[in-house]
Amino acid sequence: GENEMRWWTATLARLYEVDYHPDLPPSVAARPPRSVLDSMQKVRAALRKEPTFAKSADDTLHEPIDDLWIARALIATDFKDDLATALALKYVEWRHQLFGWVKPVQ
């Protein structure tokens, strides 16, 4: 609902501002980009067009790319749709080339 969307965008803004602790209120007034949900939809739509992208039967995105991953890509690219899409596509390509799991760095 609307409360969840408000929480989602506020949380993304706090993460972007490096001001997030789940048990504390924001220390600064975080303003989420107005278009963050639109940006997520644009990235999701671009990914769905890729023939190699893994989709479920109900056409929802899933691992390796989901809404949390898309949000991370948007934060990493200063909320630029095209850069977040390119980052996601490179990641998906890398995952398709990878066989099995990734060994943790030691």
Side-chain angles (χ1 to χ4, degrees):
E2 191 172 321
N3 286 338
E4 289 85 6
M5 287 298 118
R6 209 172 333 184
W7 174 87
W8 177 251
T9 55
T11 300
L12 288 182
R14 288 180 67 192
L15 291 171
Y16 182 69
E17 298 292 335
V18 191
D19 184 43
Y20 183 78
H21 187 286
D23 299 325
L24 299 174
S27 61
V28 296
R31 293 188 198 124
R34 283 187 224 149
S35 61
V36 70
L37 297 177
D38 292 335
S39 293
M40 290 182 70
Q41 290 175 345
K42 287 177 185 176
V43 173
R44 199 177 302 118
L47 291 173
R48 282 195 175 108
K49 292 178 184 175
E50 286 299 309
T52 59
F53 190 76
K55 293 183 282 190
S56 64
D58 64 354
D59 201 37
T60 58
L61 303 182
H62 57 88
E63 204 284 325
I65 303 292
D66 57 11
D67 285 346
L68 292 175
W69 203 101
I70 292 171
R72 282 180 31 181
L74 286 167
I75 288 170
T77 60
D78 291 324
F79 297 95
K80 293 179 177 71
D81 308 344
D82 55 340
L83 296 178
T85 299
L87 182 63
L89 291 173
K90 286 181 184 180
Y91 178 73
V92 169
E93 180 182 325
W94 176 76
R95 287 296 302 256
H96 282 282
Q97 294 171 1
L98 183 71
F99 296 105
W101 53 276
V102 178
K103 182 179 177 183
V105 177
Q106 296 188 8

